[in-house]
Amino acid sequence: MSVSRASGAATHQRPGDRRRTLPELLAGRARKMKLDPEREQKLRDSAVRLLRRQLNLSHLLLEVEGPPHKKLSLSQLIDRDSPKAHTGLSSSLIGSALRDQASQLGVPVAVLSSQVVASSIVQICEAGTEPSHGVLLDLEQRKKLSSLLEITQYLLAHSMFSRLSFCQEMWKVQNSLLLEAVWHLHKQNVVSLPELLESHADVQAVVAWLFRNLHGLCEQSEQMDTSCPQADIARAVLSDFVQLLVLKGFQTNSGLRGEAEPEHMPQVAVAVLQRMLASALEALAAGVQEESSAHRAARCWFSMLSGHTCSMISTDSPKSFFRHTLTQILTHKPVLKVSDAIQMQREWSFARTHPLLTSLYRRLFVVVSPEELVGHVQEVLETHEVNWQHVLSCVSALVICFPEARRLVTDWAARWLARAFEDFDLDSMVTVFLLVRQAALEGPSLFLSYADWFQASFGSARGLHGCSKKALVFLFKFLSDLVPFEAPHYLQVHILHPPLVPSKYRFLLTDYVSLARTRLADLKVSIENMGLYEDLSSPGDITEPHSQASQDVEKAIAVFEHTGRIPAAVMEASIFRRPYYVSHFLPALLTPRMLPRVPDGRAAFVEALKRADKIPPSLYATYRQACSAAEEKPAGPGMKADPSCAEGLLGPLTAALQELRAAMTDPAQYDAISARVAVISQRLSSALGLSEDDSSSEVTKVQLSVLVPKLEQREQKVVDLLLTSFCQNLMAASSFAPPDRQGSWAARFVTATCGHRLLPAVLTRLCQLLRHQGPSLSASHVLGLAALAVHLGEAGPAFSDVHVSPPAPARGLSIPDFFSSLLTCRTKESTLFCLRFCTAAISYSLCKFPSRSHDTWYSCLSPGLIKKERPQLPARAKHCLSSVLCVQMRGVRQQLQFQFTVLRLFSEARDPLSWGDAASPPWRSLYPPPADWQQAALRLWRHRTFQELLKEKGFHLTYRDWLQLELEIRPDMDSLSDMDRRHFHHWAIHERFLPEPSAAGGCDGDLETACTVLVDTLLDFCHSSQSREHAEDSGLVLGGCTWNRDILSRLQEMVVDLEQGPAAPHGPSPAGGHFLFRIFRRRLQALASGWDVASRLQRQRELLMYRRILLGLPPSVLVSSPRAEQPAAPNCDEFFHLVNSELRNLYLHGGTLTHAVIVHFFRGLLNACLRCRDPSLAANLALTLCQTECPLVLTSALLWWPRLERELRCRWRCVPGPLPRELQRLHEAQRFAQSFLSPDAASPASPAPRPAWVSAAALYFAIQRAGEANRIGLEKLVCQGEELLVFLFFFSLMGLVSSHLTPHAADFLKAVGVCAEILGCLQERNVPWLQLFQLTETDAGLGRVLLRLAPDQHVRMLPLAFYSLLPYFDGDAPVREDTFLHVAVDMYLKLLALFVAGETSAASTLAARSQELQGQDDPVGLVTKARLFLLQSIPRCPRRSFSNMAELLATHGDCDPELRAALLSRWQATPNTGLSQEPRLF
């Protein structure tokens, strides 16, 4: 029976009877039949044939769907959640139904299926709850569409679906079609978007439809919450459409297209992309509100145009698209004229350009290289009419985003400038000026200031304008044409830095200057009232003179404090711009105030100007009176500073820093970080209240005090804001990604905020924090400041050198060297902070620059920083750590600190290493900040990468490095106990550095080399600033300070080991002598020689350190082992040489050696003699040699004999018999001196023991020790030998010279009295004494011995002593001697030379200060009296006195022409033959 009958019969069943379905009927029949697979298959086929012949599709669907009046519909087929859903029907059954229906209708099944599916899609799209949006589906629609697409895919697979028919049906209902539905069709491969777009014949209609939907999608997506699923779908739809349009519109390789590729699809894609970009640009140009639909659409569309969105396209399409997009931006609505651009370009800087446009530029720049970008912009300028606002804002973005943009834009401008002068092309010329001015707007840290560029291009003879008159006319014609549109700042640049013009064409320049001045006058801008430091690069609003003057004063004071000189700009203004200087600058500087007790920078600057006569006296007097009145009058309410003013200036900067931090915490805003940094840079100058022109040539160096760093309150607030922001941003960025994945924000932040103007303040604040407050800094601060130091070191070559003082003289340090000087390891607290900072800096650098070369790392990481812990770093980290730590030896000192502290603090670091985790970056153990820095340092120490860096030569901790750092340690504040420190020293010296090869910084197992390096390092350290920071008296640095004693103890131990070891020398000393004396000789030869004060003080200081080292070592160093030959005598040659050449000139005790040195020598001498077979003979031989080779040792022993004798006798007790003969001579000379001065001694006195000079020395020292009451013994001199008197007179002359050099008047009077008495005795006995003033080394006996007994300085000062004794000369007796005139003239000429050289200044000071010497002559009076004496004596001298005068006058005669004339006149006069002629007796 038919289905219809069955259904009709069913309607007449009795109530309660249930109507069974067809499956139930078939199932019941199947139970009655025997189960047979073959029969079952036949039955199934028969049923299908029956249904196909009798089936009414509508009735079948109605049977399932419900009432019979329902029409054919797939709506419920795809509505799976409906209670009426067809859960029992399969896609195959629907396919069969569609096939049968198409057969009945006589149409192809594919056409019917396409119509049915299109109709269903329309129904789904129209069933939305929010149809007004017209772009996206809701959740219910999306589910229905998913079911429909499953059926459609089945139809496609069985060739029952026509894409072309479907597309045609879709276009018929395009107004009801949602874009998301089209996207699903494209993603499910039902109908691709190119197929759908190509199926419509009207290209414009297709473009309009797709543009309308994309624009709506952009608006709708921006309104959604980012966490909403709808937002993800909207972004996916938009991203896929953008990728497809870019691929189809800009596919450069035509071979990739298929044969059936739509022909006008590229046209449609390009047109849609252009309309979307144009719509967004128009919205920005119209200045729409931020929350308007147009603004939202533009923001969404720009976010899609990124390298990430297009990176999924493997072809060159993205690059072609971005180039096309950039062209469209630059040429969009070119309505502005060049004159408009000249006037308005200040508003188009990066910071003032719309953020959406700058973000678009940055996205485009990701794909295109800087070189390609510059070339493309140049090509657009040559071939298109451009929108100057977009072109110039693009240039600003280029300068901001690319570090190499400065070079590229400069080269670009140079090429176009050359073209302009070659073709005399005004278009090229104006383009160059616009480009350079725009780049200069971004600040001198990124590009040359306009003033510098203009002066470099036209301010020299090499400029292109100087090649011909035509070129000059062209230039000035161009500049003149610009005048009506120019900003005043540019006119001021052209006037103050004019082009260099030959004199014959000077009229061209004067005409232009007149025109420019006229224009400035029209603008009411005075060139005379322009500020000294006014920014000529930025064409901003003209600052009022009084406001600019305040800024000029602050900057001038800053320059004065840094350089110590009046700035050149102030000096120039006081002459050439006097109206501004007098009317504005001086009133701003001389504002009345309460003057500080200690003059500050402003007060010192005012006084410097006053001394230079740059302040009118009346104005200065008024200023001082007003300041005095201000001190007397208490400050009123109106005189108090308003703190809110400074806070108000910091407000914009604080807001900009907060915006940057917000961008750091939002990964979606990473592309806006550069813009945020640019805004911060722009607001810095306002916060500081100074000009933005950081490129001023006035501040050529950064100078600050390390010990007492000072910072103005406003600058400190600004710097604290920047440092806090950097630390917070680093912490925020590290919470999302490690340093190597944080981009370049840190480097940009440092470059933009720590420019030349703010660099001194930043470094001063870092000095305060790291050097003086380091141990109190938190972990996050340490991490942030360490990273900042790394990036400052990376950018170090762009910054000025840092001059630090005190304690060392100001010296130029690089940024890494400066940071090195801030980290010390003197105390426990400073050592731990150094460990923390070095660990943070090294870890950050290793993670930030993991794949850089070692050379690049060296620029960021100082080897000193690494060596302070011990490890070393890769390349760019090397530069960063190098920048963080190098101080005294150009990066060496702070290289040491990390290695040094780890080895010092952790004994486990001294053991062989077990490799740590090489894959885990060290930064991971620091963020979040650790509670245990020591463990973090050890993890870094064991890191494989870090240990590999230690193999680099520049980063290896050497023995010298270790000594330098260990010398800084203060034992009383050390983290190690005395025993632990001793153990560490022994490990470092004997186990680490002594066995190490010299190439690795060790000693090759040579103990003498270890001692040599230690002494050298010790001496270098005592000259360094570190030692002077701990001792006010540099002479007490060695031995006097506890922080040196331990190292000296190690030296003592090593010297003893060296002497007692198996390699200790026996017999003669090595050819080179003792290592200690070799060091002394080498270092003394390297010192500057001369008699100037600086050279002498430097040499004295070096010798004092030598003396301290010698006294700290065993006495055997001074006296080596006896010689092997007979007779045996100890070898003292090296000590004698040191005494004669150097120690003799210390003259600390009137030209003798100190007691400590003499005692030390005799201890060594007696110890060496006692080891000989005949100790007395050895001692006698050594002391006999001493009489001729080093007599100063004997005279010094006589000075200290009362204290020395006791120790000598005590040490000689072990030898039977009396003291050696030569020692007994010293004892006898001492007894003679005592008895000579004794009033109870017999008269005449016994003869003096020989040698006479020894007895004379003993007698002179006894006279010095004796008081005035015991001087009566000098009357006995008439009974002594002439030789003794001459030697005694010499010693008294040395005493007189010493009194001239000491500030004690009593010593001078006593010395003059002794000399006068001895001189009187010599003159009374007619003993020749003038020879003492003509001593030379060639003199046999006398000169050789006496010159070795006196310091060279004393011998040079003999002329002063000679003429000091002038009143005590015995009348004309000396004049009658043949040699007197020669000696007197020689002494006078030498006295003049001393006076001119300033070596008599000590005598001048003594005469001026002492009341006791009021009757004595100062050097000027002495020279005058000496000259008068000579002029009076010349006529009275015998003619034979002039025999050797020619040579003397030829050498020094020009010093006194009158004396020379008198001598020549007397010498050349013809002698009288009368009775008056003197007889020639000899």
Side-chain angles (χ1 to χ4, degrees):
M1 66 179 179
S2 69
V3 178
S4 59
R5 291 177 185 172
S7 60
T11 58
H12 297 289
Q13 288 182 343
R14 296 187 305 271
D17 293 342
R18 184 178 64 84
R19 179 182 177 182
R20 292 191 294 173
T21 63
L22 179 62
E24 289 177 340
L25 293 175
L26 295 177
R29 185 172 180 80
R31 285 195 297 270
K32 297 177 182 180
M33 298 177 63
K34 185 177 180 180
L35 187 62
D36 183 358
E38 183 178 354
R39 181 181 180 84
E40 180 181 359
Q41 182 62 36
K42 290 181 180 180
L43 181 60
R44 183 177 299 160
D45 294 342
S46 299
V48 170
R49 285 195 299 273
L50 175 63
L51 288 172
R52 284 180 176 177
R53 285 196 304 268
Q54 302 296 331
L55 180 62
N56 185 317
L57 185 59
S58 298
H59 289 180
L60 176 61
L61 294 175
L62 288 175
E63 178 182 343
V64 180
E65 293 179 350
H69 62 274
K70 293 288 185 181
K71 296 182 179 180
L72 174 64
S73 175
L74 293 179
S75 60
Q76 293 183 2
L77 290 173
I78 63 177
D79 191 0
R80 296 179 175 178
D81 294 334
S82 172
K84 302 178 181 180
H86 297 266
T87 56
L89 293 180
S90 64
S91 297
S92 61
L93 182 58
I94 295 174
S96 298
L98 288 172
R99 209 178 282 117
D100 293 338
Q101 184 68 24
S103 177
Q104 291 179 7
L105 297 175
V107 296
V109 64
V111 174
L112 179 61
S113 300
S114 301
Q115 293 174 350
V116 171
V117 172
S119 176
S120 300
I121 290 177
V122 171
Q123 293 179 23
I124 292 173
C125 291
E126 292 177 344
T129 57
E130 298 180 2
S132 60
H133 289 164
V135 179
L136 298 177
L137 303 170
D138 58 24
L139 183 60
E140 194 69 21
Q141 290 172 306
R142 202 169 287 119
K143 291 180 179 179
K144 292 180 180 180
L145 182 61
S146 176
S147 300
L148 176 61
L149 293 182
E150 289 181 7
I151 297 173
T152 307
Q153 287 175 336
Y154 172 82
L155 298 177
L156 275 170
H158 292 80
S159 302
M160 298 171 61
F161 187 82
S162 172
R163 286 189 171 94
L164 180 58
S165 298
F166 177 75
C167 290
Q168 293 173 350
E169 292 297 324
M170 295 295 289
W171 283 119
K172 293 178 182 179
V173 292
Q174 58 177 315
N175 293 331
S176 301
L177 191 60
L178 298 183
L179 190 62
E180 185 185 347
V182 175
W183 177 68
H184 283 293
L185 292 173
H186 174 79
K187 294 291 287 184
Q188 298 297 329
N189 294 323
V190 174
V191 174
S192 67
L193 181 63
E195 287 181 282
L196 180 61
L197 299 180
E198 182 64 24
S199 64
H200 200 294
D202 189 351
V203 174
Q204 297 301 323
V206 173
V207 171
W209 176 84
L210 187 54
F211 165 73
R212 182 176 63 255
N213 280 274
L214 287 176
H215 195 275
L217 178 59
C218 289
E219 292 181 359
Q220 187 174 352
S221 63
E222 283 296 303
Q223 295 176 334
M224 300 175 183
D225 188 0
T226 55
S227 61
C228 175
Q230 289 283 88
D232 295 335
I233 294 175
R235 283 192 294 269
V237 172
L238 196 54
S239 177
D240 287 346
F241 271 87
V242 169
Q243 292 179 38
L244 183 63
L245 293 175
V246 170
L247 178 63
K248 297 303 179 182
F250 298 92
Q251 186 166 305
T252 56
N253 190 353
S254 59
L256 297 177
R257 298 177 181 171
E259 296 180 359
E261 184 72 18
E263 295 182 0
H264 59 260
M265 181 60 203
Q267 181 181 356
V268 173
V270 171
V272 172
L273 291 172
Q274 287 181 342
R275 289 192 62 177
M276 289 297 296
L277 180 59
S279 174
L281 293 177
E282 290 172 2
L284 298 185
V288 295
Q289 295 295 326
E290 186 172 350
E291 296 304 322
S292 64
S293 59
H295 187 277
R296 290 196 300 268
R299 181 170 63 238
C300 179
W301 181 251
F302 286 167
S303 66
M304 288 295 106
L305 303 183
S306 64
H308 174 72
T309 302
C310 300
S311 62
M312 303 175 186
I313 306 174
S314 59
T315 65
D316 292 335
S317 299
K319 182 175 289 188
S320 300
F321 165 64
F322 283 174
R323 290 171 64 91
H324 179 84
T325 301
L326 182 59
T327 302
Q328 185 180 350
I329 294 172
L330 300 181
T331 58
H332 177 73
K333 291 188 176 181
V335 295
L336 292 174
K337 300 178 182 179
V338 171
S339 58
D340 300 326
I342 294 173
Q343 292 176 306
M344 301 172 62
Q345 71 175 128
R346 64 167 296 209
E347 302 297 333
W348 302 336
S349 65
F350 187 87
R352 297 187 180 187
T353 302
H354 199 289
L356 291 183
L357 186 57
T358 58
S359 67
L360 177 59
Y361 287 140
R362 292 195 306 273
R363 291 182 172 92
L364 297 179
F365 293 171
V366 171
V367 177
V368 185
S369 68
E371 292 78 7
E372 293 175 331
L373 185 63
V374 170
H376 184 71
V377 176
Q378 181 175 347
E379 180 183 349
V380 171
L381 287 172
E382 292 175 342
T383 57
H384 294 77
E385 290 291 331
V386 296
N387 183 321
W388 281 110
Q389 179 180 1
H390 290 173
V391 169
L392 297 180
S393 61
C394 179
V395 171
S396 286
L398 174 68
V399 171
I400 287 289
C401 295
F402 292 114
E404 57 269 50
R406 178 174 184 153
R407 173 182 56 82
L408 295 174
V409 176
T410 302
D411 294 343
W412 179 14
R415 290 194 303 271
W416 277 50
L417 192 63
R419 178 194 302 178
F421 277 96
E422 181 179 352
D423 301 332
F424 300 104
D425 182 9
L426 287 175
D427 291 339
S428 299
M429 195 74 167
V430 75
T431 301
V432 170
F433 273 69
L434 285 174
L435 293 177
V436 170
R437 291 179 179 183
Q438 191 67 29
L441 287 175
E442 304 309 324
S445 61
L446 298 175
F447 196 79
L448 289 173
S449 67
Y450 176 72
D452 290 342
W453 175 85
F454 188 82
Q455 193 168 11
S457 300
F458 306 109
S460 66
R462 298 190 303 270
L464 297 171
H465 65 291
C467 58
S468 65
K469 178 182 179 182
K470 188 175 181 180
L472 281 172
V473 172
F474 170 71
L475 173 62
F476 285 108
K477 172 73 166 57
F478 169 74
L479 293 178
S480 299
D481 292 341
L482 290 183
V483 167
F485 313 103
E486 289 273 45
H489 286 76
Y490 294 131
L491 294 175
Q492 291 171 338
V493 169
H494 298 164
I495 294 174
L496 295 177
H497 305 287
L500 182 63
V501 178
S503 57
K504 60 181 177 179
Y505 301 127
R506 195 73 178 174
F507 67 92
L508 295 173
L509 176 61
T510 56
D511 290 347
Y512 170 75
V513 171
S514 299
L515 180 63
R517 285 181 176 273
T518 303
R519 175 60 178 165
L520 288 174
D522 294 341
L523 296 173
K524 298 181 180 180
V525 176
S526 174
I527 190 70
E528 289 79 9
N529 287 336
M530 192 181 68
L532 306 185
Y533 300 98
E534 195 165 344
D535 187 2
L536 300 179
S537 305
S538 177
D541 296 330
I542 298 298
T543 308
E544 291 297 327
H546 63 274
S547 176
Q548 182 63 41
S550 300
Q551 299 178 14
D552 288 342
V553 166
E554 296 298 329
K555 188 159 188 177
I557 293 173
V559 174
F560 176 77
E561 290 176 341
H562 290 158
T563 63
R565 298 188 299 272
I566 299 174
V570 177
M571 297 297 288
E572 292 173 1
S574 67
I575 301 172
F576 301 107
R577 299 172 55 199
R578 194 160 183 81
Y580 172 79
Y581 178 78
V582 174
S583 302
H584 300 286
F585 182 81
L586 286 182
L589 174 65
L590 303 178
T591 303
R593 63 182 184 127
M594 294 180 63
L595 296 178
R597 294 182 178 178
V598 178
D600 56 5
R602 179 183 288 264
F605 182 50
V606 170
E607 293 304 319
L609 289 176
K610 177 65 172 59
R611 290 192 299 271
D613 293 331
K614 297 301 178 182
I615 301 179
S618 59
L619 184 60
Y620 180 78
T622 304
Y623 164 71
R624 297 294 297 187
Q625 292 175 1
C627 291
S628 301
E631 293 176 1
E632 297 173 359
K633 185 187 302 182
M639 298 177 62
K640 295 181 179 179
D642 185 6
S644 63
C645 178
E647 297 298 331
L649 293 175
L650 295 180
L653 177 61
T654 304
L657 292 172
Q658 291 175 350
E659 292 175 359
L660 175 62
R661 186 182 180 190
M664 296 296 302
T665 56
D666 185 1
Q669 299 186 40
Y670 277 178
D671 59 345
I673 289 178
S674 296
R676 304 294 187 196
V677 172
V679 172
I680 292 171
S681 178
Q682 186 186 43
R683 294 181 180 176
L684 265 179
S685 59
S686 299
L688 292 171
L690 297 173
S691 167
E692 297 178 0
D693 185 10
D694 292 346
S695 61
S696 171
S697 59
E698 290 286 349
V699 184
T700 57
K701 64 181 180 180
V702 179
Q703 186 169 355
L704 54 88
S705 171
V706 175
L707 296 182
V708 189
K710 296 180 181 180
L711 203 59
E712 292 184 3
Q713 184 177 6
R714 178 188 293 181
E715 287 184 334
Q716 180 168 338
K717 288 183 178 180
V718 172
V719 173
D720 284 348
L721 277 176
L722 295 177
L723 297 182
T724 302
S725 174
F726 185 88
C727 294
Q728 292 174 346
N729 291 336
L730 181 68
M731 295 298 102
S734 298
S735 65
F736 290 96
D740 58 325
R741 291 165 52 195
Q742 293 178 11
S744 59
W745 75 267
R748 292 184 181 279
F749 186 93
V750 169
T751 303
T753 59
C754 301
H756 297 282
R757 177 61 190 91
L758 197 58
L759 182 63
V762 172
L763 296 182
T764 301
R765 186 59 176 148
L766 287 174
C767 178
Q768 293 174 347
L769 294 173
L770 299 182
R771 187 179 182 89
H772 301 282
Q773 304 175 29
S776 62
L777 295 177
S778 66
S780 59
H781 286 147
V782 172
L783 293 178
L785 295 181
L788 179 66
V790 169
H791 286 289
L792 279 172
E794 183 186 13
F799 294 143
S800 304
D801 284 347
V802 184
H803 294 256
V804 297
S805 62
R811 63 189 188 278
L813 299 176
S814 65
I815 298 296
D817 294 343
F818 169 72
F819 277 105
S820 186
S821 66
L822 302 183
L823 298 180
T824 62
C825 302
R826 299 187 184 103
T827 65
K828 177 180 180 180
E829 292 76 13
S830 62
T831 301
L832 293 177
F833 171 70
C834 180
L835 177 71
R836 295 164 63 198
F837 190 87
C838 295
T839 302
I842 297 172
S843 301
Y844 179 81
S845 297
L846 283 175
C847 189
K848 182 68 176 178
F849 315 111
S851 59
R852 299 297 181 94
S853 66
H854 287 114
D855 292 338
T856 309
W857 239 310
Y858 192 86
S859 65
C860 305
L861 289 176
S862 159
L865 178 113
I866 301 173
K867 292 184 182 180
K868 286 190 179 181
E869 193 167 32
R870 172 179 173 180
Q872 294 182 356
L873 299 192
R876 184 164 176 186
K878 267 186 182 176
H879 181 55
C880 293
L881 265 177
S882 163
S883 9
V884 179
L885 308 148
C886 283
V887 62
Q888 286 190 326
M889 296 191 171
R890 204 66 190 167
V892 172
R893 181 174 172 273
Q894 283 231 338
Q895 294 176 2
L896 325 173
Q897 291 176 334
F898 182 64
Q899 300 179 64
F900 176 77
T901 52
V902 168
L903 290 173
R904 203 171 197 281
L905 297 178
F906 311 125
S907 59
E908 55 265 44
R910 307 168 196 168
D911 300 329
L913 282 175
S914 57
W915 295 111
D917 182 9
S920 176
W923 183 257
R924 188 170 298 173
S925 62
L926 293 176
Y927 186 86
D932 191 348
W933 280 90
Q934 298 183 7
Q935 291 303 317
L938 283 174
R939 283 194 292 270
L940 172 61
W941 172 259
R942 298 188 180 104
H943 199 271
R944 182 183 297 272
T945 304
F946 187 75
Q947 284 295 322
E948 289 174 354
L949 292 172
L950 292 179
K951 301 175 184 178
E952 294 292 328
K953 183 177 180 181
F955 289 89
H956 193 74
L957 180 67
T958 66
Y959 178 45
R960 186 181 298 273
D961 298 334
W962 175 79
L963 286 171
Q964 287 176 340
L965 289 169
E966 191 65 36
L967 283 168
E968 294 183 29
I969 298 296
R970 298 181 59 180
D972 56 326
M973 304 180 70
D974 191 10
S975 56
L976 300 179
S977 64
D978 292 342
M979 185 60 67
D980 290 340
R981 187 168 52 257
R982 186 172 185 274
H983 289 163
F984 171 62
H985 287 176
H986 280 279
W987 172 87
I989 294 174
H990 297 284
E991 297 185 37
R992 176 174 174 89
F993 297 112
L994 184 60
E996 257 190 349
S998 58
C1003 304
D1004 289 324
D1006 189 349
L1007 191 60
E1008 182 176 311
T1009 301
C1011 294
T1012 301
V1013 174
L1014 192 153
V1015 173
D1016 257 330
T1017 307
L1018 186 60
L1019 293 171
D1020 290 337
F1021 179 83
C1022 292
H1023 282 296
S1024 69
S1025 60
Q1026 281 72 28
S1027 64
R1028 289 193 292 275
E1029 291 181 34
H1030 298 280
E1032 295 180 358
D1033 184 359
S1034 61
L1036 297 178
V1037 170
L1038 279 174
C1041 297
T1042 57
W1043 40 276
N1044 276 319
R1045 288 176 180 170
D1046 290 343
I1047 296 299
L1048 278 175
S1049 299
R1050 304 293 86 78
L1051 178 61
Q1052 293 169 355
E1053 295 169 357
M1054 289 191 290
V1055 169
V1056 171
D1057 291 343
L1058 192 62
E1059 292 180 348
Q1060 299 178 356
H1066 295 281
S1069 300
H1074 196 279
F1075 77 90
L1076 196 62
F1077 293 101
R1078 291 200 304 270
I1079 296 173
F1080 293 166
R1081 286 196 298 271
R1082 170 172 50 80
R1083 294 180 64 91
L1084 289 170
Q1085 290 172 1
L1087 291 178
S1089 58
W1091 291 104
D1092 58 283
V1093 176
S1095 299
R1096 284 191 285 113
L1097 290 178
Q1098 184 182 21
R1099 204 170 192 87
Q1100 289 176 22
R1101 187 163 173 263
E1102 185 85 5
L1103 290 171
L1104 287 174
M1105 292 188 290
Y1106 295 171
R1107 190 186 67 182
R1108 308 290 289 196
I1109 291 178
L1110 287 173
L1111 296 179
L1113 296 179
S1116 55
V1117 173
L1118 305 182
V1119 183
S1120 63
S1121 301
R1123 299 180 184 273
E1125 63 270 12
Q1126 294 295 334
N1131 184 6
C1132 312
D1133 294 347
E1134 290 181 306
F1135 177 69
F1136 288 169
H1137 181 270
L1138 180 66
V1139 170
N1140 290 330
S1141 61
E1142 303 297 341
L1143 295 182
R1144 174 173 58 89
N1145 291 313
L1146 282 179
Y1147 52 85
L1148 294 180
H1149 295 278
T1152 58
L1153 302 177
T1154 62
H1155 173 263
V1157 173
I1158 286 299
V1159 169
H1160 208 59
F1161 167 74
F1162 275 99
R1163 288 170 183 168
L1165 177 64
L1166 295 186
N1167 290 341
C1169 292
L1170 291 175
R1171 290 195 295 269
C1172 298
R1173 284 176 293 181
D1174 190 342
S1176 294
L1177 177 60
N1180 289 329
L1181 289 174
L1183 293 176
T1184 301
L1185 182 65
C1186 191
Q1187 293 180 16
T1188 57
E1189 298 300 324
C1190 192
L1192 185 61
V1193 170
L1194 298 182
T1195 57
S1196 300
L1198 289 171
L1199 174 65
W1200 305 109
W1201 187 259
R1203 297 169 57 185
L1204 179 64
E1205 184 180 16
R1206 291 194 297 270
E1207 183 166 353
L1208 293 179
R1209 292 188 180 279
C1210 180
R1211 286 181 176 271
W1212 199 258
R1213 286 177 181 175
C1214 58
V1215 179
L1219 288 174
R1221 184 184 68 255
E1222 295 302 322
L1223 289 179
Q1224 291 181 17
R1225 287 181 187 275
L1226 298 179
H1227 176 68
E1228 292 171 359
Q1230 185 69 21
R1231 289 182 58 187
F1232 162 75
Q1234 291 175 353
S1235 63
F1236 188 89
L1237 295 180
S1238 174
D1240 300 330
S1243 182
S1246 60
R1250 299 192 64 82
W1253 63 267
V1254 173
S1255 298
L1259 181 57
Y1260 173 73
F1261 294 140
I1263 293 172
Q1264 290 294 100
R1265 288 192 291 267
E1268 291 292 334
N1270 295 328
R1271 293 261 305 282
I1272 190 172
L1274 290 178
E1275 298 174 355
K1276 305 175 186 178
L1277 289 175
V1278 293
C1279 303
Q1280 295 296 326
E1282 295 181 0
E1283 192 177 11
L1284 177 70
L1285 291 178
V1286 172
F1287 284 121
L1288 183 60
F1289 185 50
F1290 176 80
F1291 287 116
S1292 66
L1293 287 175
M1294 294 301 102
L1296 178 59
V1297 171
S1298 295
S1299 67
H1300 273 296
L1301 301 176
T1302 56
H1304 301 294
D1307 294 342
F1308 175 77
L1309 295 176
K1310 179 180 178 181
V1312 169
V1314 172
C1315 284
E1317 194 165 350
I1318 298 174
L1319 178 61
C1321 185
L1322 289 171
Q1323 294 179 131
E1324 181 180 350
R1325 295 180 57 181
N1326 293 323
V1327 177
W1329 54 272
L1330 291 174
Q1331 57 185 328
L1332 295 178
F1333 296 94
Q1334 300 287 295
L1335 296 174
T1336 62
E1337 281 282 350
T1338 58
D1339 293 343
L1342 186 64
R1344 180 177 176 81
V1345 171
L1346 294 184
L1347 288 179
R1348 294 191 176 188
L1349 288 172
D1352 293 339
Q1353 176 76 354
H1354 284 52
V1355 175
R1356 284 171 52 82
M1357 297 287 286
L1358 277 175
L1360 198 64
F1362 181 85
Y1363 282 104
S1364 295
L1365 296 175
L1366 189 61
Y1368 304 100
F1369 288 174
D1370 185 12
D1372 291 340
V1375 176
R1376 290 193 296 270
E1377 295 188 23
D1378 294 347
T1379 58
F1380 176 79
L1381 183 61
H1382 186 277
V1383 173
V1385 172
D1386 184 38
M1387 291 292 101
Y1388 170 73
L1389 295 178
K1390 290 180 178 178
L1391 180 63
L1392 282 180
L1394 291 174
F1395 180 78
V1396 172
E1399 295 187 48
T1400 59
S1401 57
S1404 302
T1405 305
L1406 178 63
R1409 291 188 305 176
S1410 176
Q1411 295 181 354
E1412 300 177 30
L1413 299 179
Q1414 294 300 317
Q1416 302 293 330
D1417 294 314
D1418 61 0
V1420 177
L1422 196 64
V1423 170
T1424 304
K1425 285 191 175 182
R1427 183 173 182 273
L1428 181 61
F1429 171 77
L1430 285 176
L1431 292 175
Q1432 293 174 351
S1433 301
I1434 288 173
R1436 295 182 291 137
C1437 291
R1439 192 172 186 278
R1440 56 180 176 270
S1441 301
F1442 297 87
S1443 58
N1444 297 325
M1445 200 62 63
E1447 181 181 354
L1448 190 62
L1449 292 178
T1451 307
H1452 304 289
D1454 294 336
C1455 296
D1456 193 332
E1458 185 178 356
L1459 177 64
R1460 176 186 176 89
L1463 288 171
L1464 291 177
S1465 175
R1466 179 72 176 88
W1467 180 31
Q1468 296 172 358
T1470 303
N1472 294 326
T1473 58
L1475 297 176
S1476 62
Q1477 183 175 1
E1478 298 180 7
R1480 188 178 184 86
L1481 302 179
F1482 303 99

